[in-house]
Amino acid sequence: MPTDSIAHAEADDDSSQELLPPVEELLSTAVKAVGGVERPGQLTMARAVQRAIDEGEHLAVQAGTGTGKSLAYLIPSVRHAMTSDGAVVVSTATIALQRQLVDRDLPRLADALAPHLPHEPAFAILKGRRNYLCRYKATAGWPEDEQDQLFDPREVSATGRMVQRIQEWAEETETGDRDELVPGVNEQAWRQFSVSARECLGATRCPSGAECFAELARARAGESDIVVTNHALLAIDAMEDFPLLPEHEVVVVDEAHELVDRVTSVVSGELSETMVTAAVRRVGRLIDQPTSDRLMEAGEDLKALLAAAPPGRLDELPQVLGMTLALVRDAAWACITSLGPRQGGDKDDPEGAGLRKAAFTALDEVHDTAQRMLDAFGHAEEIDRAEVVWLDAGTDRRPPVLRIAPLTVAGMLRDKLFGDRTVILTSATLALGGAFDGLARQWGLGTGDRSKDDAEGDSGEGAGGADKIAGKAAGKPDKKGGKRAKGWTGLDVGSPFDHPRSGILYVARHLPQPGRDGLPEAYLEEITELIEAAGGRTLGLFSSMRAAKAATEALRDRLSVPLLCQGDDSTMLLVKQFAEDEPTCLFGTLSLWQGVDVPGPSLRLVIIDRIPFPRPDDPLTSARQRHVAAKGGNGFMAVAATHAALLLAQGAGRLLRSQHDKGVVAVLDPRLATARYAGFLRDSLPPFWPTNDPEKVRQALRRLAAP
């Protein structure tokens, strides 16, 4: 497009924006329609999101529970979509938030804003292809090989019954979305009815292409103003050569504290004898047997080697492993070559084309992962290392697996996600240690100058204190010159909760430091006294499942209140029982740190057994710490302490879920009061009233428990 045409288009867009109601008016309309109350932090956030979109700058917003952040980013997103050629993509980490947006927030918002906008806002949800039922595979049985098709629908087994349920559901579903199949099914059953993007024949070649659920979902997304997706698909869309999401220039990343981990999972790889065997079965009779036998033999060599090797991180490549990986790589390449042209095969034989596509997909994964693992070694300096390889020990049901993951995804995110789009990142937990710099580095945005002047005078005042700008980085010329990299701003809009008046942060400074041999007796006595003072009503967050179960077994005989432990039943049912029966306590681990929302008197006490540092022998975390140190940074603070701060803040955030909630967050680990890094961790927590006095805490809990 000529320069004058571009300027003309931009001017038209600006004038269209001016004809729309301002973001403040739209927000007020939406809040009234849903029966809510406008909050200063919500308005500040909505204005900041609108400004970031208008100026084309990235924005990180910390918005505490109860702020109403969904409306604060949806209003300016809808407003922008009204005058944009593309959609605004909203990415979340959890299915629960996706469902909340699509089933509750967006329908109510669309109804409320329709009279004030050029047209009623349209929205859609879009997931990875594996999440949709494949009509052709469901009817033709393509392309799983015989060993994968072990389950007869009439077979009296859990998986057999799941297969039968999927077949019945397939006759009536309008979306093919796996999440709408309730109760859910296991991966083994679902895999017989779904294909990955790489296995898919494509809409034009597949006999069911015209009615493909995944393609229909993409078509709906392409016609929508707001497209809701997940972090994994967002990452794949940004990094693959082919687009999965509709055209978009603005992305909102909700639950942004999860972004790095989700992207890391997407770009990690694994290799095992099981994968090699599956590739051999997929290639089947499509090539000559001596060539496929060569790959099978290489897989058997890999199996024997991994079974004998000690688990853990591999800093150097053992010679025998290097030779075995090369054998697997070369054998896989020989099979790929024998298959012939990738687009070969009879177009009138979709089943044959499907078998070839599945074979190429499996062989490519084996070949590329083996080569990637070989490339991960041989660097002269630690600073030059880009990836880490480690061996996961096998179990009775699963063989050992060789894994590989990048030491950082900052460069990928900077180039692929943030490069050509405006990105809004938000969560209740982003400012770790009181600043956004830690997560900004992990996202590839660099660090800011912490200048409050960047607030431009409209930060406002929220119940959680003065809203503050925590950092801003100016855009810099890119390597090609001309175009400037987008800058970013960090904004904390506070919380509507009065944390010092509603909650106490109790650190049990008098307890011994936690050890590796389970919970000391002093910890069990402390937990018992706290729960008795609270009359139950306790969520116990433990650093491991072993610790949670040990505490449950030790305390059930000491306590007069019901005590549930994660694993006793489905987590959803346990949380429901905990919420409905006030005296009940619930103990558990990781998913409870972030997944529990229980407002009201059923939750008055959150107990955290220890600071949730990653395990010192965790291969990826330890490698990342070492890599940061090699570059001159503080590996412990940048990796382990940041990880702990995120989880600690998420766990403490379980306490106050509504305006009327009150209670105590009790951290039994005395290091939160005594260690050199304690200030950083405490600054990452909500501003509860702090104390180390156990008697004051017990008295406060007794007052809350009194009728």
Side-chain angles (χ1 to χ4, degrees), residues 18-42:
E18 290 174 2
L19 294 175
L20 294 174
V23 69
E24 295 87 349
E25 182 180 326
L26 293 175
L27 179 61
S28 177
T29 299
V31 169
K32 289 177 183 176
V34 301
V37 178
E38 284 191 58
R39 303 183 177 101
Q42 184 183 52

Side-chain angles (χ1 to χ4, degrees), residues 372-396:
R372 180 179 169 187
M373 289 177 173
L374 289 168
D375 293 340
F377 299 95
H379 302 290
E381 303 288 341
E382 173 63 31
I383 197 172
D384 298 324
R385 192 190 299 268
E387 302 201 280
V388 58
V389 178
W390 72 95
L391 178 62
D392 260 357
T395 65
D396 292 339

Side-chain angles (χ1 to χ4, degrees), residues 143 190 265 497 563 625 639 690:
W190 181 253
S265 295
F497 301 155
L563 178 53
Q625 285 187 213
V639 181

Side-chain angles (χ1 to χ4, degrees), residues 501-503 600 603-605 655-656 658 660-664 704:
R501 291 181 177 272
S502 301
L603 178 51
R604 294 300 194 199
L605 172 63
L655 181 66
L656 303 184
S658 74
H660 303 293
D661 288 347
K662 294 180 182 296
V664 173
L704 287 175

Side-chain angles (χ1 to χ4, degrees), residues 514-516 518-519 523 540-549 551 566 587-591 593 607-615 643-644 647-648 669 671:
R516 296 186 179 181
L519 290 172
Y523 278 51
L541 303 177
F542 293 84
S543 54
S544 69
M545 200 65 239
R546 184 178 66 175
K549 289 181 177 178
Q566 194 173 3
F587 287 2
T589 186
L590 190 60
S591 62
W593 286 75
I607 294 177
I608 297 175
D609 70 328
R610 64 192 297 162
I611 297 171
F613 290 119
R615 289 171 53 95
H643 171 94
L647 266 184
L648 203 58
D669 191 335
R671 293 175 295 177

